[in-house]
Amino acid sequence: MKQTKSTRIATLAIFFAVMIVIDILSSVIFNLLPVPIKPTIVHIPVIVASILYGPKIGATLGGMMGILSVVHNTIIFLPTSYLFSPFVQNGQWYSLIVAIVPRILIGITPYIIYRLLQTRGGLLVAGAVGSMTNTIFVLGSIFFLFSGVYNGDIRTMLMGIIGTNSIAEMVIVAFLTTAIVPTLQQAKK
């Protein structure tokens, strides 16, 4: 089914609204509950939209997710906010690269993987790859752009994140993608 401009805008608006709700709820839940890991799940709508509607919609939503990250880290100050916002203390212009570029890529890689595999297992892999795209490019950007901040010992911090959050994130996203996409594919028809 060919999408009109108004249909694309409506699709973007719906998925962006879902991203905002997930961002708010996950911030509240993960800050109130004493859980050892705090996985990022706001990128699930980006991955799902990428698979369902293609890389243009996915990349646009990914960019919107990056902007949401900049706004979130500018308004709600955390010890790591400077990594994602140039508008806070110690933030740099290249904080925008960390916040936005990996998120745009999240909107492209799941689409490519799913188109190559085109199976239910392909959905699982596409969800995992989308999640790992976020992890690898965000943490890689932090490593290359902010390595001097931790006196050269940024590897320890990044390995801690990879060992906890990113694995849980990848599993959660892979299974949710596999559960959500077929239902939305049916509704889309």
Side-chain angles (χ1 to χ4, degrees):
M1 172 172 88
K2 188 164 169 74
Q3 282 194 323
T4 63
K5 185 176 181 179
S6 58
T7 306
R8 280 192 303 273
I9 291 170
T11 300
L12 286 169
I14 291 167
F15 276 94
F16 188 59
V18 170
M19 286 169 42
I20 291 171
V21 169
I22 290 172
D23 186 47
I24 292 168
L25 288 176
S26 64
S27 292
V28 169
I29 291 168
F30 292 136
N31 288 327
L32 290 178
L33 298 176
V35 291
I37 60 169
K38 298 179 188 318
T40 302
I41 56 174
V42 75
H43 58 307
I44 295 169
V46 178
I47 292 167
V48 170
S50 169
I51 293 167
L52 290 172
Y53 297 102
K56 268 189 186 177
I57 296 275
T60 302
L61 280 168
M64 293 165 85
M65 178 188 168
I67 293 168
L68 182 65
S69 176
V70 172
V71 170
H72 182 97
N73 282 284
T74 301
I75 295 171
I76 301 169
F77 188 76
L78 299 169
T80 56
S81 288
Y82 70 94
L83 297 171
F84 303 98
S85 174
F87 308 111
V88 297
Q89 186 179 6
N90 296 324
Q92 303 293 325
W93 67 268
Y94 42 84
S95 300
L96 295 173
I97 294 171
V98 175
I100 297 171
V101 174
R103 279 51 187 275
I104 291 171
L105 294 173
I106 296 170
I108 299 168
T109 57
Y111 172 82
I112 294 168
I113 297 300
Y114 182 65
R115 289 297 164 238
L116 289 172
L117 301 176
Q118 298 254 342
T119 63
R120 194 161 179 86
L123 285 174
L124 192 71
V125 174
V129 166
S131 182
M132 290 312 292
T133 299
N134 184 51
T135 300
I136 290 167
F137 285 97
V138 167
L139 296 181
S141 298
I142 291 169
F143 179 77
F144 288 111
L145 299 174
F146 289 96
S147 60
V149 173
Y150 292 96
N151 298 327
D153 196 24
I154 197 167
R155 280 184 236 136
T156 305
M157 181 198 75
L158 296 177
M159 292 311 291
I161 293 168
I162 290 170
T164 56
N165 276 11
S166 63
I167 293 170
E169 218 171 84
M170 181 183 67
V171 171
I172 291 167
V173 172
F175 283 106
L176 285 175
T177 301
T178 306
I180 295 168
V181 170
T183 305
L184 292 179
Q185 283 174 328
Q186 290 298 322
K188 192 176 156 192
K189 292 178 184 179

